[in-house]
Amino acid sequence: MSGPVQAPLVDARGRLKRKLRVSLTDRCNLRCHYCMPEQPRWLPKAALMSREELRRLVGLFVRALGIAELRLTGGEPLLRPDLEDIVRELGALRAQGLERIALTSNASRLAPRAAALRAAGLDDLNISLDAIEPERFRALTGGALAPVLAGIAAAVAAGLPLKLNCVLIRGANDDQVLPLHQWARERGLPLRYIEFMPLDGRQSWAPEKVYREDEIIAQLSALEPLRALPRGHDPAAYYASADGYRVGVISTISKPFCSRCDRLRLDARGQLYTCLFSAQSCDLLTPLRAGADDAALLALIRNAVWHKPAGYAEQPGYVERTITMHHLGG
Ligand code: SAM
Ligand code: SF4
């Protein structure tokens, strides 16, 4: 057992870490072009962390390293039949400093489980929604829109706070900016647009496909005046309309926020990635399975975090590595 937090988890550039994203699976029921390879090869189950291994590693991050916010992601975390159990078990870490358990999901299988996830202790969720017209949605993701909308409705009914996320790709769905905005605004649901990042499994990214923050805001401002809000640690820049409705833009490409990055990523194989754009990871699962004690694992984590790279801002373009977003977790 590790003791209480001893020193803040910081990297060599002075960036404090407070958030951990944990990928629960690399598998997914959708095939979003901007994420999945055409023919994904799933990781063997034996390579994935068991629930017990996940609890041990996440417990270390919370108890000993001061991580306060968890986001469960994937792949599609709802493909895990034990997701409610995972949320419940990780909830025990609230007594040790954990403040939030969030989920990122495509919501296509959320409707029957939203209330149970809420009851298990899920605090909030981000739902991917890249188009509000069924044919466009299918063209982008390979799936049907109706179950996603049912999932959103079920989350609202269960009292789960949610945000919608839309990845924009020039020529593919930049015409969805206004219809999505209108749909979300009518329902009072916060919406964030995400710039297309060079992490897609099909290597189709190109700088000219990035639909930038200034272009998104120009489209929205034609509808009504928007006021830029002061930036905090959130990766999104927020803009408010006169009645207070807010839209966000995660402009990783046009305005990287690497200098304020406070997050880490643990993939489903127990590999720690300190940066979304890093080709290097730190294997935590192999030493854990070989019997490493908490002190040894903590030393590995602290060392990896200390060497966290500067980020996309200093190394733009494709990352040469064998894994993509569906594996690492967005
Ligand atoms: N399946 C879940 C979902 O779609 O929300 C969780 C995993 S998904 C990899 C997490 C997030 O990464 C989603 O919001 C998705 O839109 C985003 N994402 C995936 N590939 C991306 C890319 N190339 N550029 C920007 N965002 C991407
Ligand atoms: Fe699946 Fe999410 Fe990737 Fe789409 S973005 S393919 S839903 S993991």
Side-chain angles (χ1 to χ4, degrees):
M1 273 287 156
S2 56
V5 179
Q6 296 184 345
L9 189 56
V10 283
D11 64 31
R13 292 174 174 80
R15 296 171 294 184
L16 179 70
K17 307 297 161 222
R18 278 184 48 83
K19 298 179 183 163
L20 178 68
R21 296 188 166 216
V22 184
S23 172
L24 298 180
T25 176
D26 60 325
R27 289 160 203 249
C28 188
N29 55 320
L30 296 186
R31 296 288 181 274
C32 305
H33 285 205
Y34 54 77
C35 174
M36 244 337 136
E38 239 147 339
Q39 300 196 312
R41 275 200 242 131
W42 308 127
L43 293 168
K45 288 253 163 74
L48 307 188
M49 286 184 287
S50 68
R51 244 169 53 211
E52 199 186 334
E53 290 163 339
L54 174 89
R55 270 204 313 272
R56 169 131 184 248
L57 287 180
V58 173
L60 279 182
F61 277 97
V62 172
R63 276 199 309 276
L65 298 169
I67 290 295
E69 299 189 24
L70 289 180
R71 176 168 295 283
L72 306 177
T73 178
E76 177 45 47
L78 283 165
L79 293 192
R80 293 278 304 240
D82 57 352
L83 182 58
E84 291 81 353
D85 297 326
I86 294 173
V87 171
R88 199 172 300 110
E89 288 167 5
L90 293 177
L93 293 169
R94 287 182 203 274
Q96 282 146 331
L98 184 65
E99 294 168 11
R100 175 181 175 206
I101 305 177
L103 181 74
T104 300
S105 169
N106 64 36
S108 58
R109 299 191 181 179
L110 179 62
R113 297 173 75 182
L117 283 165
R118 182 61 164 158
L122 186 70
D123 290 300
D124 60 280
L125 79 163
N126 288 351
I127 294 178
S128 298
L129 184 66
D130 305 315
I132 199 60
E133 289 152 18
E135 308 74 45
R136 306 300 303 289
F137 185 85
R138 188 176 286 284
L140 283 160
T141 68
L145 177 63
V148 175
L149 300 187
I152 293 171
V156 171
L160 267 173
L162 64 88
K163 288 198 223 61
L164 303 172
N165 281 335
C166 165
V167 177
L168 285 172
I169 302 168
R170 188 184 308 282
N173 65 341
D174 50 315
D175 62 342
Q176 294 293 297
V177 169
L178 293 180
L180 264 171
H181 174 73
Q182 194 182 351
W183 188 88
R185 200 182 200 299
E186 280 168 11
R187 289 158 183 80
L189 298 174
L191 171 64
R192 301 185 307 177
Y193 301 96
I194 303 177
E195 289 181 352
F196 183 26
M197 296 184 240
L199 299 166
D200 57 312
R202 301 179 193 192
Q203 306 248 311
S204 69
W205 184 89
E208 55 278 9
K209 290 191 183 171
V210 178
Y211 199 71
R212 296 184 318 267
E213 176 178 336
D214 57 337
E215 300 175 280
I216 298 164
I217 296 306
Q219 275 209 53
L220 295 172
S221 300
L223 280 184
E224 59 184 335
L226 288 177
R227 181 170 52 90
L229 299 174
R231 285 206 74 158
H233 269 284
D234 196 294
Y238 282 98
Y239 295 82
S241 50
D243 65 357
Y245 181 73
R246 298 184 340 158
V247 286
V249 185
I250 302 183
S251 37
T252 314
I253 306 302
S254 70
K255 289 189 199 161
F257 47 87
C258 306
S259 63
R260 296 186 303 279
C261 180
D262 60 357
R263 60 196 57 196
L264 300 169
R265 292 177 159 82
L266 188 63
D267 80 2
R269 297 168 309 168
Q271 300 275 330
L272 176 66
Y273 283 86
T274 57
C275 171
L276 193 51
F277 294 94
S278 174
Q280 259 83 51
S281 61
C282 170
D283 181 3
L284 298 177
L285 188 58
T286 305
L288 183 153
R289 286 185 177 171
D293 63 9
D294 285 357
L297 292 169
L298 287 171
L300 279 174
I301 297 169
R302 281 199 184 276
N303 181 57
V305 170
W306 183 255
H307 292 102
K308 175 176 164 111
Y312 187 79
E314 284 191 14
Q315 217 184 353
Y318 259 114
V319 184
E320 291 296 327
R321 67 175 177 205
T322 50
I323 68 167
T324 48
M325 280 293 247
H326 77 98
H327 177 158
L328 178 53

